[in-house]
Amino acid sequence: MAPNDDTARTERPRARLFVEGDLADGVTVELARDRAHYLAHVLRLGSGASVALFNGRDGEWVGRIDALARNRARIAAVRQLRRQAAEPGPWLVFAPIKRAPLDYLVQKATELGAAALVPAVTRRTVVGRVNGGRLRAIAVEAAEQCERLTVPRIEEPAPLTRILEGWSAARRVLLCAETGEAEPIAEVLRDGAPDDGWAIVTGPEGGFEQTELDALRKLPFVTAVGLGPLILRADTAALAALACWQSILGDWRRRPPERP
């Protein structure tokens, strides 16, 4: 995602870290062992070095390493780089798939601006367990790398029917349908706006059952969309749909900020 350039950036620290605590002028953040190891032994930083910090609420800050030991690090927030800005990306509702492509999907969906990742169990879903902690760690690392200000929310897996039972009709659903009648995704997106509220729904390896597709198409907030004439893998379809949303309604419409 293209970062918001409402605050001029005069410094780009080598490291960028997501933290859970609040960030403000003079606030000190304590980092656990794995993060301290990363700073000291991977990046080879020491006391006095600068790092960028963000928490999804208080914007992005320059932090100064005040202490760095084997098991912990202490960083003081000294200056705000960017104010917090809305990142109104779509939700991605996806059927869990095998571990390697699922990890890749979470990483790239984070980079493509998904605001929430919602594992949905369908009739053909074959993956019985989703490690939410691992997916959260992957999303955090991707958010740190791509310079977005938030980390997508990771929901607990639930049956797709249950997820849609309490769905707000204000959030439009793009159903990536591999069979049957569907509108080209670009045409549907061009009729909308970024702040309408969007979700993308993709099926499992092997696709939705026809009865599922029929039931989904009957919901008033669902529009079946096509991604072209080829049958895409589940992870490819999700990322292709996110890329279409970004190119038509998202950050890709804006000129990227100038780098110092």
Side-chain angles (χ1 to χ4, degrees), residues 33-195:
R33 179 175 182 174
D34 59 333
R35 313 259 60 190
H37 180 274
Y38 173 71
L39 293 176
H41 299 288
V42 177
L43 296 180
R44 299 192 179 279
L45 299 178
S47 294
S50 295
V51 298
L53 304 172
F54 70 108
N55 61 6
R57 306 182 303 276
D58 301 318
E60 184 177 35
W61 287 74
V62 172
R64 182 188 64 247
I65 300 176
D66 283 348
L68 184 58
R70 179 178 179 181
N71 294 325
R72 66 181 182 87
R74 187 171 67 245
I75 304 176
V78 296
R79 179 168 59 83
Q80 190 177 51
L81 283 171
R82 290 188 286 165
R83 294 189 295 272
Q84 190 65 35
E87 294 178 340
W91 295 2
L92 177 62
V93 182
F94 62 96
I97 52 180
K98 295 177 183 177
R99 175 169 176 166
L102 177 57
D103 291 354
Y104 183 83
L105 171 61
V106 170
Q107 180 190 65
K108 300 309 175 187
T110 300
E111 294 177 16
L112 288 168
L117 301 174
V118 187
V121 179
T122 68
R123 293 179 182 176
R124 289 179 179 168
T125 299
V126 297
V127 175
R129 181 175 179 273
V130 175
N131 187 332
R134 190 184 78 253
L135 299 187
R136 167 73 173 176
I138 292 169
V140 166
E141 184 177 352
E144 291 172 343
Q145 183 275 328
C146 72
E147 298 191 7
R148 62 182 286 177
L149 290 170
T150 61
V151 175
R153 185 177 74 254
I154 310 288
E155 297 284 357
E156 290 294 324
L160 179 59
T161 52
R162 186 189 305 166
I163 292 170
L164 295 178
E165 280 175 1
W167 197 266
S168 169
R171 183 169 296 274
R172 301 178 61 180
V173 173
L174 303 177
L175 171 64
C176 296
E178 64 275 13
T179 60
E181 185 176 345
E183 300 180 50
I185 188 171
E187 293 184 8
V188 176
L189 289 171
R190 288 193 185 101
D191 290 337
D195 55 358

